[in-house]
Amino acid sequence: MSIDSSSAALHPGAPVGTKPVIEAAADQAGRSLRHIAVVRVTHWIMAASVLGLLVSGGGILISHPRLYWGETGAVGTPSLVDLPLPFIIGPSVWNRPFHFFFAWMLVLTGLVYVASGVATRHFRKDLLPAKAELNWSSIAGVISAHLRWQRTSADEAWTYNVVQRLTYLGVVFVLFPGIVWTGLAMSFGVSSVFPILATAVGGFQSVRTLHFVFAPLLAIFLIVHIAMLCLVGFTSHVRAMITGYIPRRRSAR
Ligand code: HEM
C-alpha cells in the first residue's frame, strides 16, 4: 500500500513518510485493530520470559560476579570486570532450571513471533521505517523530543515512530539472537558440537561476558520502553496490546 497517502488518511496528525500500524478499517463498533492476536500473545509471553530471565540470570551471576575474556577465567586469574557483588553460590543452583525454562520459552515464542511477522508482512508493513524517516534529523528529532518529554506527531497518530521501529527491530533481530547465541555457546553440549559459537569471539569466558553485556541492554530497553509508553499513554497503549483495539476514547489514558 502507498504509505504516505494511506497514513495521512488513517492518521491525520502523522508526519509525511511515516507508516501506519493500523491497516484494518474500523469495525462496526468503530474500533480500529492495532495489534493482531499473535503479536499480542507472543508479546506478553516474551515480556514474561525476559523478566524471568533477568531475575534468574541475576541469581546465577551472583555465584561468580566476575567477567573474563578468552577461554578460561577463575578466582586468582586476572578479570575484565569485578562486579561489586558478593559471591553467593546458593541462588545460582536453584535459578538455573528457571533460567533454562524461560530461555526456551523465549526462543520458541520468538520463533512464532518472527515466523508470523514474516508471513503476515508485519515487520515490513509496521516495523520497517519508511525511507523518508531514515535520516539523522528525523531520528535526532524524535530522541530530542522524548528527552524533553514531548510527544511527536507520530506518537499522537498511534503509529510507531522511527526510533521505536529501529529499536524493536534491533531487539528482535540483534539483541535476542545475540542473547540466544551466547547462551547456547555456554552450553558444553552445544559448544562441543559447534565450537565456533564460542571460539569465534575468543572462547567460553568471552561469550559469558557478551551474555552479560546483552542482558543489561535488554533491561535498559525495558526501562525506556515503559518510559515511552508513559509518555504516549500507558493505560491506553497497554490496553491496546491486551485487547488488540485502540480505545475509542483516546483521552482515556
Ligand atoms: C523486556 C520485555 C519486553 C520486550 C522485549 C518488548 C518488546 C516489544 C516489541 C518488540 C514491541 C513491538 C511489537 C510489534 O508491533 O510487533 C512492543 C510493543 C509494545 N509493548 Fe513491549 N516489550 C517488553 C515488555 C513490555 C512491558 C512490560 C509492557 C507493559 C507493561 C509492554 C507494553 C508494550 C506495548 C503497549 C506495546 C505497543 C506500543 C505502542 O502501541 O506504541 N512491553 N514491545
Side-chain angles (χ1 to χ4, degrees):
M1 88 193 262
S2 151
I3 52 171
D4 293 339
S5 55
S6 56
S7 179
L10 283 165
H11 315 294
V16 172
T18 59
K19 297 203 290 184
V21 167
I22 311 151
E23 295 269 323
D27 68 5
Q28 284 182 340
R31 303 176 308 171
S32 300
L33 183 66
R34 164 119 165 127
H35 303 290
I36 57 171
V38 68
V39 167
R40 287 162 11 228
V41 172
T42 54
H43 174 272
W44 292 119
I45 297 177
M46 288 191 292
S49 318
V50 167
L51 290 176
L53 282 169
L54 289 174
V55 172
S56 56
I60 296 170
L61 176 67
I62 208 167
S63 74
H64 195 108
R66 300 180 91 204
L67 301 175
Y68 309 86
W69 198 255
E71 183 55 40
T72 56
V75 175
T77 65
S79 65
L80 199 62
V81 182
D82 276 24
L83 298 168
L85 296 169
F87 281 71
I88 307 174
I89 304 288
S92 156
V93 177
W94 56 264
N95 271 296
R96 270 166 199 272
F98 288 107
H99 200 68
F100 299 144
F101 171 77
F102 288 121
W104 283 113
M105 199 160 113
L106 179 66
V107 168
L108 297 177
T109 315
L111 288 175
V112 172
Y113 170 75
V114 169
S116 82
V118 171
T120 61
R121 297 168 55 85
H122 169 58
F123 298 130
R124 181 178 285 270
K125 284 185 304 185
D126 307 329
L127 292 187
L128 209 62
K131 274 201 188 121
E133 293 177 302
L134 277 178
N135 56 68
W136 284 117
S137 67
S138 296
I139 295 170
V142 172
I143 294 175
S144 103
H146 285 177
L147 286 176
R148 284 178 281 120
W149 205 244
Q150 284 174 358
R151 300 172 63 164
T152 65
S153 47
D155 296 328
E156 301 285 348
W158 274 87
T159 184
Y160 291 138
N161 64 53
V162 61
V163 175
Q164 271 176 308
R165 288 169 198 272
L166 292 175
T167 310
Y168 292 154
L169 289 175
V171 166
V172 172
F173 292 106
V174 180
L175 214 45
F176 277 176
I179 286 189
V180 173
W181 154 48
T182 50
L184 283 176
M186 277 191 282
S187 149
F188 292 120
V190 174
S191 62
S192 61
V193 180
F194 304 107
I196 184 79
L197 289 177
T199 55
V201 287
F204 177 86
Q205 292 297 337
S206 306
V207 283
R208 178 176 179 265
T209 297
L210 286 177
H211 201 65
F212 288 113
V213 169
F214 292 138
L217 288 178
L218 206 49
I220 291 169
F221 161 78
L222 183 57
I223 293 167
V224 175
H225 188 44
I226 305 277
M228 289 302 97
L229 289 174
C230 292
L231 177 68
V232 296
F234 185 86
T235 316
S236 53
H237 283 252
V238 170
R239 196 184 304 152
M241 194 43 116
I242 294 170
T243 65
Y245 289 96
I246 295 175
R248 291 180 69 187
R249 285 181 58 242
R250 292 187 183 187
S251 55
R253 295 201 163 94

